């Protein structure tokens, strides 16, 4: 939990709107740039219960084990990445971690999965690998 408190402190210093992307912008991005990498940082239970946002390069890395699963992060630190969670808090933490490790083009879905659904965008069932 020490890491989380450190990151929470760092998050407090991030200006409002920094790195945030709204559902409309993400929907356009997925259409215009299909190679964008979507990283879902919710728990597997949330994925099973609620479904996921469909993307050609979708991956699941739960925030709880985000650093431990560093080997699963995109190899290209300049790749465009959008991280999302349920409400936008955990994805902002994950985005900050990626920035700290040298990734340059990372965004967080500011409203989270809930905002995506509220905006009327489609979700697909999560299929465990």
């Amino acid at each position: 939990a020490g890491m989380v408190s450190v990151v929470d402190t760092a998050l407090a210093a991030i200006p409002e709107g920094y790195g945030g992307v709204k559902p409309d912008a993400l929907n356009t991005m997925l259409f215009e740039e299909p190679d964008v990498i979507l990283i879902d940082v919710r728990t597997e239970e949330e994925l099973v219960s609620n479904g996921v946002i469909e993307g050609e390069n979708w991956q699941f890395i739960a925030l709880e084990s985000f650093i431990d699963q560093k080997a699963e992060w995109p190899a290209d630190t300049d790749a465009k990445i959008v991280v999302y969670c349920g409400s936008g808090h955990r994805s902002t933490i994950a985005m900050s971690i990626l920035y700290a490790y040298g990734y340059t083009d990372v965004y967080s879905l500011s409203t989270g999965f809930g905002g995506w659904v509220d905006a009327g965008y489609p979700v697909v069932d999560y299929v465990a690998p």
Side-chain angles (χ1 to χ4, degrees):
M3 175 70 186
V4 171
S5 65
V6 168
V7 173
D8 269 342
T9 304
L11 282 183
I14 294 176
E16 188 62 42
Y18 169 83
V21 61
K22 301 232 178 309
D24 293 349
L26 176 58
N27 186 62
T28 301
M29 195 185 294
L30 290 172
F31 181 74
E32 293 178 350
E33 303 172 69
D35 56 342
V36 68
I37 298 167
L38 268 182
I39 301 179
D40 192 321
V41 297
R42 297 174 296 161
T43 63
E44 189 162 14
E45 293 75 23
E46 288 174 280
L47 274 56
V48 170
S49 299
N50 304 320
V52 301
I53 298 172
E54 190 171 26
E56 283 183 35
N57 294 304
W58 179 91
Q59 58 185 126
F60 165 52
I61 310 174
L63 183 62
E64 294 79 53
S65 53
F66 200 75
I67 304 261
D68 296 339
Q69 292 183 263
K70 188 172 181 288
E72 294 176 38
W73 296 1
D76 180 3
T77 55
D78 293 325
K80 181 172 267 190
I81 302 168
V82 178
V83 189
Y84 73 93
C85 61
S87 65
H89 184 71
R90 287 171 290 176
S91 58
T92 303
I93 293 172
M95 175 186 74
S96 303
I97 292 170
L98 288 168
Y99 270 123
Y101 277 86
Y103 287 79
T104 61
D105 199 10
V106 188
Y107 302 87
S108 167
L109 181 58
S110 56
T111 59
F113 182 80
W116 176 265
V117 172
D118 289 346
Y121 292 112
V123 300
V124 293
D125 286 340
Y126 169 67
V127 180

